[in-house]
Amino acid sequence: MSNRPNFSKSGFILATVGSAIGLGNIWKFPYITYENDGGTFVLVYLAAVILIGAPLMMAEIFIGRHSKRNVVDSFKVVGKHPGMAGIWKGVGWLSLIALFFLIYYYSVAGWVIFYLKETIGWSVAGFNKTPAELTENFNAFLHNGNSQLFYSGIFLFFTALILSFGLTKGVEKMSKILMPALFTCLIIFVIAVSSQPGFTKAFEFLFHFDKITSKGVLEAIGHSFFTLSLGAGMGITFGSYLSKSQSIVKSTAMVVFFDTLVGLMACIIMYSIIFSIPEANRAESFGHSAVMLFTSLPKLLYNLPGGTFVAPLFYLAVGFAALTSTLAMGEVFITLFQEKLGWTRRKCAAAYVALSLIIVVPAGLSHGGVDSLAELNLVGDAHKGFFNILDYLVSNWMLVLAGLFTSLFIGWAFPAKPLREEMEEGHGTWKLFHIWRFSLRFILPAGIVWILVSVIQSL
Ligand code: PHE
């Protein structure tokens, strides 16, 4: 694999930060934090990110850099070290299937493009929608199968197009543009909301300490996997393009820091807006939390200073965040196709589109466009519909299971000496090595098994 490209120094960090920061931070984290009443939920989430997420991300990047292979073969190459059979390749396949199911992500990414278009139109023509009209607008859009397919299709097409340019000219270049752009937008929003009466209430909500339900704990830990793109082969694939002169430990620390920062900033922005509404009207203005980004937020954005500018800018920023994540998802498949089949990047990108349509089409139609897909009930009433079933399987089971096997693989099946050598390459002596390895051997597996047992009990 001598002709493999390498990311530049900032390229790896920005691309990995880009993969991590996505709809998980801006769409999912604020609404699950809201549903779980903030405070303690955030604390558990932070603990999960530091104690489980960061060590696991290091293990994934290690597997990638050590093997310089795609998500499946990397397990075989690294596993060969102590003379082990290629059974670990199964973990690579599991991550790949998780990532395949995760293609439902394009559905929500498509909604963002639709709202970018809508807000541009509203800003030009003047915004005058009532909350009820906005909810109706969103529901009509959800039920319109053609629109669903069109907008998620656009997102998929652009992702594949950028990927076809190559690793450095595609993913790296886009991440170098989009990530600074996203941070600039987020800073503009924080400034815009800082004058709102809800601003201090948002901080209080995020950092007050109260009790938490066991479901909340599970959700916080599960989200730490999703937001850091763990268990989906992303760390392995991007790690396989990481140069030996860069530190895995420091790069991971930066990714985790920025990802967490953006999740918290998204909460501050959205809660400042929401808490500025008098409490009595909040429930009505706020709507259903999972879709608040699309039903209630547009109106609230127009109430901000410079609303006509800020509203479309918000959806543009969310689109940037989603795009760097879909690029990472696609790159995992493209690297695999390139190495397994020897195809050109362009052909790999076309194959990725074809493969993605298998999920994108039914996911898009399962929001109401086609009744049988919307009503599909395979994993219980709480997760009805093709889209929700995939989200449930990926977030609650697959990412977490792949994470469990990855930690066992590196913690137990890989010898300490070469592990330490690779981790210190580009870093120098790493004093916390033993603590990290200990956590891979004991803390992570115990934590993940506990999560799985709790998920099974809740069935
Ligand atoms: N981390 C991304 C987000 O928060 C989602 C993702 C998961 C991306 C797995 C790539 C791989 O939106």
Side-chain angles (χ1 to χ4, degrees), residues 7 11-21 57 61 175 234 238 255:
F7 276 123
F12 175 79
I13 293 175
L14 287 171
T16 313
V17 168
S19 155
I21 297 173
M57 184 175 260
I61 298 175
S175 305
M234 192 283 306
F238 277 11
V255 174

Side-chain angles (χ1 to χ4, degrees), residues 19-20 22-25 99 102 105 226-229 232 234 325 329:
S19 155
L23 297 170
N25 303 60
L99 198 60
L102 199 71
Y105 196 89
F226 187 91
T227 189
L228 292 174
S229 313
M234 192 283 306
S325 293
M329 294 178 189

Side-chain angles (χ1 to χ4, degrees), residues 166-188:
L167 182 86
T168 33
K169 289 205 189 109
V171 181
E172 174 163 342
K173 204 167 173 188
M174 283 314 277
S175 305
K176 281 185 171 168
I177 300 170
L178 296 182
M179 279 300 108
L182 174 68
F183 274 94
T184 311
C185 293
L186 290 176
I187 291 169
I188 293 178

Side-chain angles (χ1 to χ4, degrees), residues 17-296:
V17 168
S19 155
I21 297 173
L23 297 170
N25 303 60
I26 306 181
W27 165 64
K28 212 169 185 182
F29 186 60
Y31 93 71
I32 59 174
T33 302
Y34 190 83
E35 284 179 353
N36 285 288
D37 207 19
T40 316
F41 178 83
V42 176
L43 200 67
V44 174
Y45 166 76
L46 291 177
V49 161
I50 294 168
L51 297 176
I52 299 181
L56 193 56
M57 184 175 260
M58 286 180 211
E60 289 194 358
I61 298 175
F62 159 79
I63 295 173
R65 190 170 78 172
H66 196 68
S67 66
K68 297 258 170 232
R69 294 289 200 289
N70 59 72
V71 58
V72 174
D73 292 329
S74 57
F75 278 90
K76 196 175 78 188
V77 173
V78 175
K80 249 189 350 204
H81 238 277
M84 276 190 341
I87 44 160
W88 290 108
K89 258 171 89 172
V91 188
W93 283 112
L94 177 64
S95 297
L96 201 66
I97 297 169
L99 198 60
F100 175 62
F101 285 180
L102 199 71
I103 289 172
Y104 70 80
Y105 196 89
Y106 282 100
S107 209
V108 185
W111 300 351
V112 176
I113 299 293
F114 176 71
Y115 273 84
L116 175 60
K117 186 205 102 191
E118 291 288 87
T119 43
I120 291 175
W122 291 330
S123 288
V124 172
F127 178 81
N128 58 0
K129 294 254 177 284
T130 63
E133 282 170 338
L134 281 171
T135 307
E136 204 177 300
N137 188 47
F138 183 63
N139 284 337
F141 170 59
L142 281 186
H143 283 77
N144 184 334
N146 289 342
S147 296
Q148 291 296 320
L149 299 187
F150 178 72
Y151 289 100
S152 52
I154 291 189
F155 214 97
L156 173 62
F157 174 77
F158 272 106
T159 303
L161 185 71
I162 296 168
L163 286 170
S164 70
F165 294 146
L167 182 86
T168 33
K169 289 205 189 109
V171 181
E172 174 163 342
K173 204 167 173 188
M174 283 314 277
S175 305
K176 281 185 171 168
I177 300 170
L178 296 182
M179 279 300 108
L182 174 68
F183 274 94
T184 311
C185 293
L186 290 176
I187 291 169
I188 293 178
F189 296 131
V190 172
I191 296 172
V193 298
S194 63
S195 59
Q196 296 293 300
F199 189 61
T200 43
K201 283 194 211 141
F203 277 91
E204 281 162 22
F205 181 77
L206 271 183
F207 300 110
H208 75 274
F209 300 111
D210 215 328
K211 51 186 182 309
I212 184 168
T213 61
S214 55
K215 184 186 145 286
V217 173
L218 279 182
E219 216 168 346
I221 301 177
H223 187 66
S224 71
F225 277 79
F226 187 91
T227 189
L228 292 174
S229 313
L230 297 171
M234 192 283 306
I236 297 175
T237 303
F238 277 11
S240 76
Y241 298 117
L242 175 65
S243 115
K244 294 270 184 194
S245 62
Q246 249 175 289
S247 159
I248 295 178
V249 178
K250 285 188 195 142
S251 307
T252 303
M254 285 180 79
V255 174
V256 171
F257 172 77
F258 281 115
D259 182 72
T260 309
L261 182 69
V262 169
L264 293 175
M265 279 171 101
C267 288
I268 295 288
I269 294 165
M270 291 177 66
Y271 299 159
S272 298
I273 298 176
I274 289 158
F275 293 147
S276 298
I277 305 171
E279 196 141 2
N281 305 337
R282 201 174 293 156
E284 189 208 351
S285 321
F286 192 34
H288 179 44
S289 52
V291 290
M292 64 188 181
L293 199 63
F294 307 103
T295 50
S296 41

